[in-house]
Amino acid sequence: MLDVMQDALEPHMSKETLEYHWGKHHRGYVNNLNKQIEGTELDEKSLESIILASYNKGDILPSFNNAAQIWNHEFFWESMKPGGGGKPSGELLELINRDFGSFEALIQEFKLAASTQFGSGWAWLVYDIDEKKLVVLKSSNAINPLVLGSYNLRPDYISTFLDKLVSWDAARKSVSGAMIDLKPPPYALDALEPYMSKETLEYHWGKHHRGYVNNLNKQIEGTEHDEKLLENIILDSYNKGDLLPAFNNAAQVWNHEFFWESMKPGGGGKPSGELLDLIIREFGTFEELIKQFKLAAATHFGSGWTWLVYDKEHKKLVVLKTSNAINPLVLDYYPLLTLDVWENLRPDYIATFLDKLVSWDAASSRLEAAKVSIEGKRDGGN
Ligand SMILES: [Fe+2]
């Protein structure tokens, strides 16, 4: 959704343009997609999952165009801000200088890509996760970097966009973050009631999680970790198991974000699709996975986390428990779900999480993203 008022980008982009482009064009894709997927296997999947599934390795299925256009438009609106333009800073600027020579050279390449795009499509600045560098891309119609296996930074609109509208803060946050943010849960703090109370979220997110963010920001200011991505702070300060001081705060920030995003209002139920297939292959039944997950959580000594992860080496699912702030990132697994485990749990907390709160959609999307990332790495390129 548009997080700016529709006239906030004037005079560089008019209210009429936004009303037309977002209010009609973008809305049309949403309505068409909803009609198209109703009652199909794509119903109830996340938007990213629909895009990946319907891209179908380049042999595009009918819902791809609408789904990708929705995602691309959302990403585009969020790439702009009132008072945008100017220059990026921090790690993003360093990467630009390294990969393009200068900021001006990036702008030139971006303008060239946008103005030479044949027909409709998108110009993108992306971070190529395999080559670890920034790349300017153009794509036709609805194709986007998600399906190309690159990690997305920011799409664009030629010069007005670059000079007046582009939100370099948004792009910078994608690669680094001079400050680590307290990311809110993807639902209101009372949205998990009655299974998890607003007070629990206010305490656990508003105070506990916030404390880790504030401590980490104080801790890394002016050090080599400043302006790094949270994931990189975690990996670097894990230091092959010989933990550096920033590790605990950094990993606790990441783990808590991941935990909030592992739940949703109206959660519970059963997974479907490939995730369910993998569960049955590995555990025999869904019920057996639940049993093992509950056992792992209930037998955890002290504080820590229970995880469902994808082991890329053995191509299988594993239930894992970790102590304190340790997480699957440093163990080289792809995490799919987590439950925050603390001492003196209420006895029904684990069951309530699994029956009423867990988001199997999130786990499925994470599995698909993991596979795209693994696939990209194996192919040695995009
Ligand atoms: Fe916690």
Side-chain angles (χ1 to χ4, degrees):
M1 263 285 285
L2 215 45
D3 61 356
V4 292
M5 295 299 290
Q6 294 193 27
D7 61 359
L9 302 180
E10 294 198 324
H12 311 298
M13 190 174 278
S14 71
K15 187 176 173 206
E16 290 66 37
T17 300
L18 280 178
E19 277 171 354
Y20 179 75
H21 204 112
W22 173 74
K24 197 166 155 182
H25 201 176
H26 184 168
R27 189 190 306 274
Y29 292 122
V30 172
N31 294 342
N32 289 340
L33 180 66
N34 282 326
K35 270 184 234 150
Q36 205 164 26
I37 64 175
E38 198 182 341
T40 74
E41 77 209 9
L42 298 175
D43 210 356
E44 306 216 354
K45 279 199 181 180
S46 71
L47 183 61
E48 284 81 0
S49 303
I50 296 172
I51 292 170
L52 292 169
S54 62
Y55 181 64
N56 196 25
K57 301 188 178 172
D59 188 11
I60 294 175
L61 302 177
S63 52
F64 177 77
N65 190 60
N66 287 318
Q69 289 291 26
I70 293 167
W71 192 93
N72 297 356
H73 280 87
E74 281 179 6
F75 197 85
F76 176 48
W77 306 128
E78 291 166 7
S79 292
M80 295 188 285
K81 66 170 190 180
K87 270 182 81 159
S89 61
E91 191 182 357
L92 178 60
L93 184 59
E94 283 167 30
L95 286 177
I96 289 170
N97 287 334
R98 192 193 70 187
D99 298 337
F100 298 95
S102 66
F103 174 66
E104 290 68 30
L106 160 67
I107 295 298
Q108 211 183 12
E109 193 172 328
F110 197 97
K111 285 183 180 175
L112 187 70
S115 59
T116 58
Q117 166 65 30
F118 182 76
S120 90
W122 303 83
W124 307 85
L125 174 63
V126 306
Y127 183 67
D128 180 326
I129 49 181
D130 300 310
E131 303 291 327
K132 294 194 171 53
K133 63 175 198 169
L134 296 174
V135 182
V136 169
L137 272 188
K138 43 186 180 176
S139 68
S140 290
N141 304 316
I143 301 288
N144 68 31
L146 290 184
V147 300
L148 302 174
S150 289
Y151 193 68
N152 241 307
L153 283 187
R154 296 284 119 183
D156 287 30
Y157 248 17
I158 327 188
S159 30
T160 305
F161 176 77
L162 292 168
D163 296 343
K164 306 291 185 196
L165 296 172
V166 65
S167 172
W168 289 111
D169 291 345
R172 182 175 53 75
K173 270 188 196 150
S174 300
V175 251
S176 69
M179 287 280 279
I180 301 298
D181 292 317
L182 174 67
K183 193 171 172 193
Y187 37 76
L189 296 186
D190 60 0
L192 301 182
E193 293 195 332
Y195 307 111
M196 191 173 279
S197 70
K198 187 178 171 197
E199 289 67 38
T200 301
L201 268 291
E202 277 170 348
Y203 181 76
H204 203 134
W205 172 75
K207 201 167 154 181
H208 199 177
H209 182 168
R210 188 189 304 274
Y212 291 121
V213 172
N214 292 344
N215 288 339
L216 179 65
N217 280 323
K218 269 184 233 148
Q219 202 167 26
I220 64 175
E221 200 182 339
T223 74
E224 84 262 21
H225 296 309
D226 208 355
E227 307 216 354
K228 278 190 193 171
L229 274 179
L230 182 60
E231 284 79 356
N232 291 336
I233 299 175
I234 293 169
L235 292 170
D236 294 347
S237 64
Y238 181 66
N239 194 27
K240 299 184 181 172
D242 188 11
L243 305 183
L244 302 177
F247 178 78
N248 190 61
N249 288 317
Q252 290 289 24
V253 172
W254 193 94
N255 296 355
H256 280 88
E257 280 180 11
F258 198 85
F259 175 46
W260 307 130
E261 292 169 6
S262 293
M263 297 187 285
K264 66 170 189 179
K270 270 181 82 160
S272 61
E274 192 180 359
L275 179 59
L276 184 60
D277 293 344
L278 280 180
I279 289 170
I280 289 170
R281 200 180 73 194
E282 199 49 45
F283 300 95
T285 61
F286 173 67
E287 290 67 31
E288 179 61 24
L289 162 67
I290 295 297
K291 207 166 100 175
Q292 290 195 26
F293 195 97
K294 283 183 179 171
L295 186 70
T299 57
H300 190 87
F301 182 75
S303 89
W305 303 83
T306 306
W307 307 85
L308 176 65
V309 304
Y310 182 69
D311 176 346
K312 65 177 178 201
E313 195 113 347
H314 303 98
K315 295 193 175 63
K316 63 175 201 171
L317 299 175
V318 181
V319 171
L320 205 71
K321 42 188 181 176
T322 62
S323 288
N324 304 316
I326 302 288
N327 69 33
L329 294 184
V330 301
L331 305 173
D332 209 21
Y333 292 121
Y334 285 89
L336 304 182
L337 284 178
T338 196
L339 173 64
D340 188 350
V341 181
W342 54 83
E343 277 170 284
N344 308 316
L345 289 176
R346 284 177 48 194
D348 58 354
Y349 165 76
I350 302 168
T352 301
F353 171 76
L354 291 166
D355 293 344
K356 305 291 185 190
L357 295 171
V358 68
S359 172
W360 290 110
D361 289 346
S364 282
S365 298
R366 289 158 172 171
L367 176 65
E368 285 184 58
K371 294 215 148 172
V372 168
S373 160
I374 294 163
E375 203 60 42
K377 279 171 193 157
R378 193 163 31 241
D379 294 348
N382 285 339

